[in-house]
Amino acid sequence: MTEKKREKSFSDRIYEAVSRIPRGTVATYGQIAAAAGNGGAARAVGNALHRNPLPGVIPCHRVVSAQGRLAPHFAFGGEGQQQKLLEAEGVEVIDCRVDLKKYQMR
DNA sequence: CTGTTGACTTAAG
DNA sequence: ACTTAAGCCAACA
């Protein structure tokens, strides 16, 4: 039957994309945007996560900038929380940065 | 609908 | 390494 394409909201795709990040791996906002179907909307991705009421549901700690940098100033829970979570998953975090060459989702 | 903001990205100085 | 500028997109007032 003619299935109606229920297009999820932008933030919903972000949630899916971020959730699909393998454990012990990180992804950049650009990758999330591309995974959400909007390559280039890296800005909107960050905004969506920030404004989206999905704390605890989205592993934002796996989302890093293109330079492998985290967001300690806006991180949930606490500043060191992000780094702690990443390290707990096997990601080596150094100075709020991760080695994209090894941990970025490819 | 318009304008501003922002957890981005890349380039240039 | 840091700052500024421009580009792109979505949510909010």
Side-chain angles (χ1 to χ4, degrees):
Chain A
M1 42 197 260
T2 53
E3 281 289 312
K4 253 163 84 166
K5 299 184 223 187
R6 53 184 54 121
E7 299 182 11
K8 299 171 161 183
S9 297
F10 183 71
S11 16
D12 282 345
R13 299 190 201 169
I14 303 305
Y15 151 67
E16 294 256 12
V18 176
S19 276
R20 104 180 226 167
I21 300 175
R23 176 185 165 285
T25 309
V26 300
T28 67
Y29 290 93
Q31 278 188 291
I32 302 298
N38 290 349
R43 230 172 174 167
V45 171
N47 249 358
L49 290 174
H50 182 171
R51 303 189 188 268
N52 239 342
L54 302 172
V57 188
I58 303 176
C60 333
H61 57 269
R62 289 187 193 152
V63 185
V64 300
S65 70
Q67 299 176 350
R69 239 219 164 139
L70 311 182
H73 296 292
F74 293 87
F76 54 93
E79 298 178 0
Q81 190 64 19
Q82 236 174 355
Q83 177 175 336
K84 189 172 179 168
L85 287 166
L86 288 169
E87 288 187 333
E89 297 197 351
V91 179
E92 193 170 15
V93 180
I94 299 172
D95 193 26
C96 294
R97 285 203 288 185
V98 299
D99 201 334
L100 294 178
K101 296 194 279 267
K102 300 184 172 199
Y103 298 114
Q104 181 173 133
M105 177 177 64
R106 298 226 176 170

